[in-house]
């Protein structure tokens, strides 16, 4: 039996009675390294992303579509929170109505080059049903990536109510992994 212990100890790289080299990593060390790695990945800037709408579905309340963020750069980047979204008349046009209600609590999402993350976007049908709504035609959406300051224009014809309103006709959730998030 003693020879088996010696053979096993030798196979593991330690002799009987000697102290083994410390090669194990604790959970807290792994978590700290993962945190450092996440911190080294830069936040996605508007310039690094293609922002576009994906196909969605409709119900009696309105349309549910994914607002997609595709990384067009050569490096991974992160997104966290909800984008800013509002209807606009055209690319450099005036905002129509209130900006989207934002649900900002979401995970940090790392978007690798060529990959897409998305935020659920709800476009209410209320402008078509609300008495007193002064309907105006939107030429698209002005989108600010989470924590971004430069907007992107996303072409999308729709109907909005001119301000003042009590509630926005858009609602957006946080960015999540995957290209097809449609439910907030």
């Amino acid at each position: 039996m003693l020879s088996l212990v010696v053979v096993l100890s030798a196979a593991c790289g330690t002799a009987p009675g000697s102290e083994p080299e410390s090669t194990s990593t604790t959970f807290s060390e792994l978590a700290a390294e993962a945190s450092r790695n996440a911190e080294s990945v830069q936040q996605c800037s508007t310039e690094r992303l293609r922002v576009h709408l994906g196909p969605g579905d409709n119900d009696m309340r309105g349309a549910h579509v994914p607002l997609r963020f595709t990384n067009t750069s050569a490096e991974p980047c992160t997104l966290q929170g909800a984008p800013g979204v509002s209807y606009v008349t055209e690319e450099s046009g005036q905002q129509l109505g209130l900006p989207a209600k934002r649900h900002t609590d979401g995970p940090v999402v790392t978007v690798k080059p060529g990959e897409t993350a998305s935020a659920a976007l709800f476009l209410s049908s209320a402008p078509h049903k609300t008495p007193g709504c002064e309907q105006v035609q939107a030429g698209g959406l002005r989108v600010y990536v989470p924590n971004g300051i430069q907007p992107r224009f996303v072409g999308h014809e729709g109907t909005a109510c001119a301000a003042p309103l009590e509630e926005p006709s858009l609602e957006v959730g946080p960015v999540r992994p995957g290209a097809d998030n449609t439910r907030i």
Side-chain angles (χ1 to χ4, degrees), residues 16-36:
S18 67
E19 289 292 316
E21 287 185 32
S22 177
T23 58
S24 65
T25 305
T26 67
F27 177 76
S28 60
E29 289 170 328
L30 288 173
E33 184 174 339
S35 176
R36 282 191 301 276

Side-chain angles (χ1 to χ4, degrees), residues 5-21:
V5 171
V6 172
V7 170
L8 288 175
S9 294
C12 293
T14 59
S18 67
E19 289 292 316
E21 287 185 32

Side-chain angles (χ1 to χ4, degrees), residues 53-57 64-66 68 179-180 182:
L53 295 177
D57 56 20
H64 304 265
V65 297
R68 294 175 171 171
D180 294 316
T182 60

Side-chain angles (χ1 to χ4, degrees), residues 96-121:
L96 302 171
L98 298 171
K101 177 180 177 182
R102 298 170 67 207
H103 300 270
T104 58
D105 190 24
V108 174
V109 178
T110 299
V111 188
K112 294 179 183 175
E115 289 188 352
T116 301
S118 62
L121 177 63

Side-chain angles (χ1 to χ4, degrees), residues 45-133:
S45 63
T46 305
E47 299 80 29
R48 300 174 79 170
L49 298 169
R50 176 176 173 245
V51 182
H52 54 108
L53 295 177
D57 56 20
N58 296 316
D59 60 24
M60 291 177 47
R61 294 180 42 228
H64 304 265
V65 297
L67 179 56
R68 294 175 171 171
F69 301 91
T70 302
N71 184 350
T72 59
S73 75
E75 299 294 325
C77 61
T78 62
L79 292 168
Q80 182 177 24
V85 182
S86 57
Y87 276 122
V88 290
T89 55
E90 57 190 57
E91 187 164 352
S92 59
Q94 174 183 350
Q95 179 175 314
L96 302 171
L98 298 171
K101 177 180 177 182
R102 298 170 67 207
H103 300 270
T104 58
D105 190 24
V108 174
V109 178
T110 299
V111 188
K112 294 179 183 175
E115 289 188 352
T116 301
S118 62
L121 177 63
F122 173 67
L123 303 104
S124 174
S125 61
H128 298 286
K129 307 178 212 176
T130 305
C133 168

